[in-house]
Amino acid sequence: MSELKIGLVGAGWMGKTHAMSYRAQSLAFGGKPATPVLEVLADVNDEIASRAAREFGFNRHTADWREIIDDPTIDIVDVNTPNDLHFDIAMAAVAAGKHVYCEKPLTNDAKTAFTMAEAAEKAGVVTMVGFNYIKNPVQSLARRLVADGEIGEPNYYRGSFSADFLGRPDIPFSWRNDKAKAGSGVIGDIGAHCFAYLNHLVDQPVEEVVCDLKIVIPERPAPAEHGGFSQDAGATGQMVQVDTDDVATVMFKTAGGLTGHMEMSRVSLGKRMDVGYELTGTEGGVRYFYDNINSLQVYKEDGAQDTRGFKHVVMGPTDPRYAAFYPVPGIGAGYNDFKVMEVQDLIEAVAGGKPAYPDFRFAAEIQRVIDACILSDAERRWARVDEIAI
């Protein structure tokens, strides 16, 4: 059985999640069509990299990500750093002919995101971006229902992603609160997922947006030590100004005439993971709520009027990705399971020499919409996506 050697850059929460997913791939999918090998891990210094490599199960570690790029044995470079580092690492990997798995958002602006997509396509390498929410098997079902015309012509979409992971003002400042590193706040971090849901469901590019962005907590305590996002990392007495948005409200129009709105928040106290959408068509609709993570609700405008209503569809082993984990329907696949499915899709693409989904171009298109949202907020008007130069 063939192997694919992994070089992972960034050992925070997502780096750990990716490492777990690679290790679980062999159990869930039998290491087919190739087995990922956790070869080398890079982080900001030797102490952090050494500890993470040991805990995650990597063979080696380094404090310089460039050593991964220069290593001819590495097949896939996996990028889990703050957003401002994605471009340099990914472009170096592409130039070295390596496949790239990168977390979202792809970069801090659309121009660099499209540069990455074009470079990867020219080099002929596989790229994958971490929109693992759409890897949930119910999202594949929803996409198929829409494509097959089961709900008629889509005409309205409502999406939401509200959480409170930054809801308290005593949670320490992190790179997500720094525009230089993150590019934006909730509109880029959570908004990327919201627009990924939309793009996954309908083949209608967003053409125009109007957006309002708001900083709710304007300053946070400096963290006591280096690290990624943490709600209990400890803090110093020094306060740091936040310059990324906490709340975003968006209305949009697509090329196909679909209209809708989205709301995003990272400070909505009491909402741990309030994620969902409703897509309405001329003959029915689909809706999804994260608190019923393995279920989809489907409505058809047919049958007896007094018994019409949304049908509750529970995922089961008729979907091969679900079946890799569970032999009966209704067992709760979750966030990390979807990440394993994402890794499997990446491995199949690399081993089979075919494109992965979603790739750099998918992510670049989303980044262009995010940039249009930022422009709309700055100029207090509707903004066209094609105003964003690429």
Side-chain angles (χ1 to χ4, degrees):
M1 188 174 296
S2 62
E3 295 180 340
L4 292 171
K5 291 190 175 182
I6 311 299
L8 186 143
V9 186
W13 166 37
M14 289 313 303
K16 180 178 181 179
T17 299
H18 282 217
M20 292 169 60
S21 300
Y22 288 121
R23 298 184 72 172
Q25 184 269 352
S26 294
L27 294 173
F29 296 98
K32 298 175 182 179
T35 302
V37 176
L38 303 183
E39 186 61 29
V40 57
L41 179 150
D43 212 303
V44 293
N45 61 50
D46 192 73
E47 179 185 0
I48 293 174
S50 175
R51 181 176 67 248
R54 183 175 62 254
E55 292 176 354
F56 297 177
F58 279 80
N59 294 329
R60 297 180 281 132
H61 71 274
T62 178
D64 185 353
W65 60 264
R66 295 169 185 82
E67 292 185 15
I68 292 178
I69 305 299
D70 295 338
D71 188 336
T73 71
I74 297 300
D75 299 296
I76 298 172
V77 176
D78 189 327
V79 185
N80 296 275
T81 64
N83 304 339
D84 63 318
L85 299 177
H86 289 184
F87 180 82
D88 288 345
I89 298 171
M91 289 294 284
V94 168
K98 300 183 186 301
H99 309 292
V100 185
Y101 180 19
C102 185
E103 269 306 313
K104 43 56 57 187
L106 187 54
T107 60
N108 285 353
D109 62 82
K111 190 173 184 62
T112 53
F114 277 95
T115 298
M116 291 168 67
E118 290 163 7
E121 290 162 3
K122 184 176 180 179
V125 298
V126 173
T127 62
M128 170 78 83
V129 183
F131 291 106
N132 62 302
Y133 290 101
I134 65 175
K135 293 299 183 180
N136 182 342
V138 300
Q139 306 309 335
S140 296
L141 173 61
R143 177 184 172 97
R144 189 176 79 242
L145 291 174
V146 175
D148 290 348
E150 291 294 320
I151 67 166
E153 187 66 29
N155 52 39
Y156 188 76
Y157 180 92
R158 182 182 70 85
S160 63
F161 195 139
S162 294
D164 64 356
F165 58 86
L166 287 179
R168 301 195 322 268
D170 62 329
I171 295 173
F173 185 93
S174 79
W175 64 265
R176 284 179 170 82
N177 304 118
D178 183 352
K179 186 177 291 186
K181 293 184 180 296
S184 62
V186 72
I187 188 63
D189 188 16
I190 289 177
H193 285 303
C194 290
F195 286 111
Y197 273 133
L198 177 64
N199 285 11
H200 181 70
L201 291 171
V202 298
D203 186 22
Q204 295 186 26
V206 174
E207 282 193 334
E208 195 172 4
V209 297
V210 62
C211 176
D212 181 75
L213 303 176
K214 182 178 181 181
I215 297 174
V216 176
I217 301 176
E219 61 178 14
R220 293 186 179 277
E225 59 182 22
H226 168 80
F229 167 71
S230 175
Q231 292 188 315
D232 55 1
T236 67
Q238 181 182 359
M239 301 300 289
V240 184
Q241 290 296 121
V242 171
D243 62 359
T244 60
D245 48 284
D246 293 314
V247 176
T249 308
V250 181
M251 293 177 63
F252 66 89
K253 305 173 184 176
T254 73
L258 180 72
T259 60
H261 75 278
M262 300 183 188
E263 56 185 45
M264 308 132 194
S265 172
R266 61 189 185 188
V267 294
S268 294
L269 291 175
K271 292 189 175 183
R272 305 307 189 207
M273 282 289 286
D274 186 6
V275 185
Y277 62 77
E278 297 183 45
L279 177 63
T280 303
T282 55
E283 298 177 20
V286 293
R287 60 188 186 188
Y288 171 76
F289 304 102
Y290 198 77
D291 54 358
N292 289 299
I293 195 169
N294 295 143
S295 302
L296 188 71
Q297 295 184 26
V298 183
Y299 176 76
K300 290 282 291 180
E301 182 71 4
D302 59 14
Q305 183 72 40
D306 57 352
T307 57
R308 289 180 192 171
F310 276 92
K311 179 171 65 175
H312 186 72
V313 179
V314 179
M315 287 309 300
T318 53
D319 183 284
R321 289 292 189 255
Y322 181 100
F325 289 84
Y326 310 110
V328 296
I331 298 178
Y335 183 94
N336 283 357
D337 299 320
F338 307 147
K339 212 68 183 173
V340 180
M341 296 175 192
E342 185 173 82
V343 161
Q344 177 65 11
D345 287 350
L346 171 66
I347 289 171
E348 289 181 359
V350 171
K354 61 182 182 180
Y357 171 82
D359 61 7
F360 277 9
R361 186 160 293 276
F362 180 101
E365 297 288 356
I366 287 177
Q367 187 61 49
R368 198 177 191 190
V369 177
I370 291 168
D371 285 6
C373 289
I374 295 171
L375 174 64
S376 169
D377 174 73
E379 299 189 358
R380 312 308 296 166
R381 64 176 177 85
W382 280 90
R384 290 189 57 83
V385 174
D386 61 13
E387 292 183 61
I388 304 301
I390 58 173

